[in-house]
Amino acid sequence: MRLIRHWEARQDSRLHRACFCSDAPSMPDSNPGIIASAQASEKLGMEQIKLAREQTVVQNERQARMDELVGKIAGQQTQIAAENQALAKQQLDYYDTTFKPVERKLVSDAMNFNTEQEQARLAAEAGSAVAGSYDATKEGLRSEMLARGGNVADGKFLDTMSKVGLSQAADTAKAVTAARVQGRELGAAKLQDAASLGRNLSSNAATSYGIATSAGNSAVGNTGAANQNYNAGLSAVNGTASLGVNALNSATNAYNIDNSNKMQAWGAAANQAAQNNANTGSALGTAASLALIAWCDARLKRDVSLLSELPNGLRLYAFRYLWSDDWHTGFLAQEVQAIYPAAVKEDDSGFLRLDLGILATCLQGGEVA
């Protein structure tokens, strides 16, 4: 019996030392090189972000001036487009009301000059003019003969009149032929003039419409150029901001690496402390000891899996620590605290640990002083 009590006293003593974590390791210091690199990246990132903000302000001010200038130019170009469009419409209206009737008449006249009837009319007029001229000549010769007391029936006079008649016939033929040729040429010329007039009038209107279209396109192009300049400015700002974000990400990664290294070092020290404070006992005592020695705070555990639940509400888990892949068995300090708050202590690092001596007393139904 004395041996059993002696063993229990030794066990209680070892549990007591483990519960109050007199040998709990402190958090290791950060790696100076990693911290320096992280701080440099953080500084660079913040400077890039500040530069991006300054670029945004400058870009917005420049774009505001550009928008005002482009707005004026585009407004002028739009006005030119509207004025030329109105001018083109006036030209077309004037053409429709004034020149189109004249053009129709010219075309009609030109077409008539190319008809057989018109050429015959011109030939008849030419022949009539020749006949009138020769009739006057003949009448003059006859009057002169009579004035001299001559005989108009004289053979010599008649021969003269015959020659005049032959000349009249020849001149009439020439005049008729010339009139027909002249009619055809004049008709062709009139057709060409009419066609040229129509082309010129349409060309003037088309030119005005072209100027209007060009001015409108220029207004659109200038507006688009302003937008392109703004987009280019935004791209530069985004590039600067991206450099800042990348630098901050690098700083974050460095801080995470340093923190991970510290946690691993702390975990190794914790496991060493656990080995130094290891004890033996019942199944409950063993599980509780492992939980205490390796820290029972739920924030230090991962892959937590429920194994069993005791009648008093305490639950036993299998888990791995954040810094280790080894499996352990024990309680969660937060759950123990809800049932036996006196058995839970907070260490200097702010994490919860179990006082197994108090916990054992509580489990046996004893009172905690």
Side-chain angles (χ1 to χ4, degrees):
M1 179 64 70
R2 284 185 298 176
L3 289 176
I4 294 176
R5 290 178 179 175
H6 177 70
W7 178 86
E8 289 177 345
R10 290 181 59 194
Q11 180 69 4
D12 182 69
S13 175
R14 298 182 67 182
L15 289 176
H16 180 77
R17 291 196 304 271
C19 290
F20 286 95
C21 307
S22 59
D23 55 352
S26 60
M27 185 66 69
D29 293 333
S30 297
N31 185 304
I34 294 178
I35 295 301
S37 175
Q39 290 174 344
S41 297
E42 183 179 5
K43 180 180 179 182
L44 175 61
M46 296 306 296
E47 290 175 351
Q48 290 295 121
I49 295 297
K50 179 181 178 183
L51 178 60
R53 290 172 178 168
E54 294 173 352
Q55 287 178 325
T56 301
V57 173
V58 173
Q59 171 64 18
N60 289 338
E61 293 175 351
R62 182 187 297 114
Q63 188 62 33
R65 295 192 296 269
M66 177 67 71
D67 288 343
E68 182 180 1
L69 177 61
V70 171
K72 292 180 180 179
I73 295 175
Q76 294 172 354
Q77 291 170 329
T78 302
Q79 183 178 358
I80 292 173
E83 291 174 352
N84 278 274
Q85 190 171 9
L87 178 60
K89 187 177 185 306
Q90 291 176 359
Q91 290 172 333
L92 288 178
D93 291 341
Y94 184 61
Y95 166 74
D96 288 338
T97 57
T98 303
F99 283 95
K100 186 172 285 187
V102 175
E103 185 180 17
R104 288 196 182 111
K105 186 177 185 306
L106 289 173
V107 172
S108 177
D109 292 344
M111 296 297 295
N112 289 333
F113 267 94
N114 279 335
T115 63
E116 183 62 31
Q117 292 82 356
E118 182 64 19
Q119 291 175 13
R121 186 186 68 79
L122 292 174
E125 289 180 354
S128 177
V130 172
S133 176
Y134 272 94
D135 286 345
T137 299
K138 289 178 182 179
E139 185 62 29
L141 291 173
R142 189 178 289 106
S143 297
E144 183 181 355
M145 177 62 72
L146 292 175
R148 290 199 309 261
N151 184 6
V152 295
D154 182 66
K156 187 176 181 179
F157 180 77
L158 292 175
D159 184 56
T160 299
M161 294 299 288
S162 177
K163 290 180 180 180
V164 172
L166 291 175
S167 296
Q168 179 181 357
D171 289 342
T172 299
K174 291 179 181 179
V176 169
T177 301
R180 287 181 176 275
V181 172
Q182 184 180 6
R184 288 195 295 270
E185 291 178 350
L186 184 58
K190 285 181 175 292
L191 284 174
Q192 186 174 1
D193 289 342
S196 297
L197 177 62
R199 285 194 296 269
N200 290 336
L201 292 174
S202 300
S203 177
N204 291 337
T207 299
S208 297
Y209 275 121
I211 294 174
T213 302
S214 177
N217 290 337
S218 297
V220 174
N222 288 330
T223 303
N227 292 334
Q228 290 178 356
N229 290 334
Y230 182 71
N231 291 334
L234 285 182
S235 178
V237 171
N238 290 336
T240 303
S242 295
L243 292 176
V245 172
N246 290 338
L248 290 178
N249 288 337
S250 298
T252 301
N253 291 336
Y255 283 128
N256 288 336
I257 290 173
D258 180 71
N259 185 64
S260 177
N261 292 341
K262 289 165 62 177
M263 290 299 294
Q264 290 180 2
W266 190 49
N271 285 334
Q272 184 62 44
Q275 293 177 4
N276 293 337
N277 292 311
N279 55 26
T280 58
S282 63
L284 176 59
T286 300
S289 297
L290 289 174
L292 172 135
I293 293 171
W295 289 269
C296 294
D297 197 305
R299 293 171 292 177
L300 301 177
K301 301 177 180 182
R302 61 187 175 95
D303 302 328
V304 178
S305 177
L306 179 64
L307 296 178
S308 63
E309 182 172 350
L310 302 179
N312 57 10
L314 288 181
R315 289 182 288 188
L316 192 64
Y317 296 93
F319 59 88
R320 291 190 287 187
Y321 287 104
L322 298 179
W323 55 84
S324 173
D325 290 332
D326 296 333
W327 286 94
H328 302 271
T329 304
F331 302 113
L332 297 182
Q334 284 81 353
E335 293 184 354
V336 176
Q337 188 178 43
I339 301 174
Y340 304 116
V344 179
K345 307 295 182 181
E346 182 177 306
D347 64 15
D348 295 337
S349 300
F351 293 104
L352 301 180
R353 304 183 62 159
L354 294 182
D355 185 329
L356 295 186
I358 295 177
L359 179 60
T361 301
C362 294
L363 291 177
Q364 296 172 2
E367 296 182 0
V368 179

